[in-house]
Amino acid sequence: MTAPPAFVVVVRAAGERTRDACATLLAREAEGAEIRVVEERPFEGALRHCYRIGSESGVPWMVTVDADILVRPGGLRDLVEEATRMPDSFVQVEGLVLDKLAGTFRYAGNRVYRTNLLPRVAEALALPGTEIRPESMALARLAEVGHPSKTSHVVFGVHDHEQYLRDIYRKSFVQGRKFPLWLTEKLPAWRAAAENDPDFAVCMRGYLDGFAGDGRTRIDALLHAERAARALEDLELVEKGPLPGTEEELDRLGEELLAGLPARVRVNPGTRLWRILEAYDRVGALRMVPYVVGATLVAVGERVRRLGAG
């Protein structure tokens, strides 16, 4: 019988409500593999810390998981095993999550890295605050020198369920800068969902604030604290309390959020988000901004035309 691949798991945390639940569910799946939690700011500093842990781990693989992700039973092993089938030149594989706010399966940063290439990923990282997607940009630079990445159909878990409202605001603000086409694609669904779920009211407010912002933002949990507090006050919402860490709570999360997840899905290539990801691969990082701006103007113009037509 073949021995399972050796790996270390690093949870990247920034005060998420699900941090402990994330680590505990991973421990259930990791079969004795080491699990480390990194809580460091800014995000680029957390990335460098993760890469250092992986480089010094003495094992061939490092799994990175953001603390707002809850792993499904079997998701961790499925993604690690897929990593072992990659060609030796590939640096990492990324799995899918069912994203609450996006309402679809998407890629959200849970990756399996080849540890002997992590020093090169660290070298490719930009200075803090200079890029809105520092990890993705570093991986794009590695792809240009012969170390590509792979996307997987493996469903790793769920993303952004059970989060603090302030974190939902922060992430949605950043998404307003990263995904401008969501203005026409997601806003109607958020508006409908907000009637029964305050997460979506905060999501909508954060996204619109980010979309209309001045373009200067970072993935930093402290940066948006004042904005988030003002948004909750305006919406007359009270922040959630801590998530109970009991076995009963973990079982509830498993039954309500994870039990029905498929092991693998194919992302619909007809969606606008998928076309954006394909465009990123085609035009590269430097040309992506004008590409997205142009696509956004076309999409908004088409929506205005339809509204004008009644």
Side-chain angles (χ1 to χ4, degrees):
M1 183 175 179
T2 304
F7 59 91
V8 61
V9 181
V10 181
V11 178
R12 304 184 303 202
E16 289 87 351
R17 190 167 180 257
T18 53
R19 185 194 68 175
D20 294 343
C22 172
T24 302
L25 289 173
L26 286 166
R28 289 181 176 182
E29 299 292 315
E31 299 181 12
E34 182 183 14
I35 297 178
R36 303 276 295 272
V37 177
V38 170
E39 193 153 1
E40 188 171 327
R41 300 182 180 94
F43 183 59
E44 292 85 349
L47 289 174
R48 291 187 186 280
H49 192 168
C50 293
Y51 299 155
R52 189 162 58 251
I53 289 172
S55 299
E56 297 172 357
S57 66
V59 294
W61 305 101
M62 178 183 73
V63 184
T64 60
V65 184
D66 289 338
D68 53 12
I69 290 175
L70 301 173
V71 63
R72 72 165 177 84
L76 178 62
R77 281 283 161 177
D78 288 351
L79 195 60
V80 172
E81 288 174 5
E82 183 154 331
T84 66
R85 298 192 291 270
M86 294 190 302
D88 291 345
S89 61
F90 277 60
V91 62
Q92 62 91 28
V93 60
E94 184 177 10
L96 287 161
V97 290
L98 180 58
D99 188 293
K100 177 178 182 177
L101 303 181
T104 188
F105 290 96
R106 75 180 188 94
Y107 297 103
N110 51 287
R111 310 174 190 271
V112 182
Y113 277 99
R114 196 182 299 276
T115 55
N116 65 348
L117 290 175
L118 287 174
R120 301 201 64 176
V121 185
E123 290 174 3
L125 274 177
L127 294 174
T130 60
E131 292 178 342
I132 195 169
R133 304 185 70 173
E135 188 173 26
S136 297
M137 295 299 100
L139 292 171
R141 293 184 184 102
L142 250 68
E144 292 173 355
V145 296
H147 294 296
S149 295
K150 183 179 187 297
T151 53
S152 170
H153 298 304
V154 167
V155 175
F156 190 80
V158 297
H159 180 246
D160 271 348
H161 291 260
E162 300 287 347
Q163 297 307 310
Y164 286 118
L165 296 175
R166 61 178 179 264
D167 286 337
I168 290 172
Y169 176 90
R170 170 178 57 86
K171 294 174 187 182
S172 300
F173 187 100
V174 174
Q175 287 168 343
R177 309 307 305 166
K178 289 166 63 174
F179 302 127
L181 291 188
W182 283 13
L183 181 68
T184 55
E185 219 169 60
K186 306 296 182 186
L187 207 61
W190 290 339
R191 185 178 292 112
E195 295 180 6
N196 300 308
D197 189 340
D199 285 7
F200 289 99
V202 175
C203 167
M204 190 162 52
R205 169 67 179 266
Y207 180 88
L208 291 172
D209 285 354
F211 185 87
D214 61 10
R216 297 188 299 273
T217 190
R218 299 196 307 272
I219 305 174
D220 188 330
L222 293 178
L223 184 63
H224 305 291
E226 185 177 335
R227 290 189 183 118
R230 187 163 56 248
L232 296 189
E233 183 178 352
D234 291 346
L235 294 169
E236 299 182 347
L237 293 173
V238 177
E239 183 58 275
K240 301 172 186 176
L243 188 69
T246 62
E247 290 294 321
E248 291 80 5
E249 182 66 14
L250 290 174
D251 291 341
R252 179 189 72 81
L253 294 175
E255 291 174 6
E256 293 183 5
L257 301 178
L258 304 170
L261 285 179
R264 302 174 71 88
V265 297
R266 287 190 174 274
V267 178
N268 180 7
T271 64
R272 284 177 181 165
L273 177 57
W274 188 260
R275 290 201 297 272
I276 290 173
L277 294 174
E278 287 184 322
Y280 178 86
D281 290 336
R282 186 171 67 251
V283 306
L286 293 178
R287 294 168 57 195
M288 193 61 194
V289 171
Y291 177 92
V292 170
V293 169
T296 302
L297 291 174
V298 170
V300 172
E302 175 61 19
R303 183 158 180 86
V304 170
R305 185 194 66 77
R306 292 200 302 269
L307 289 172

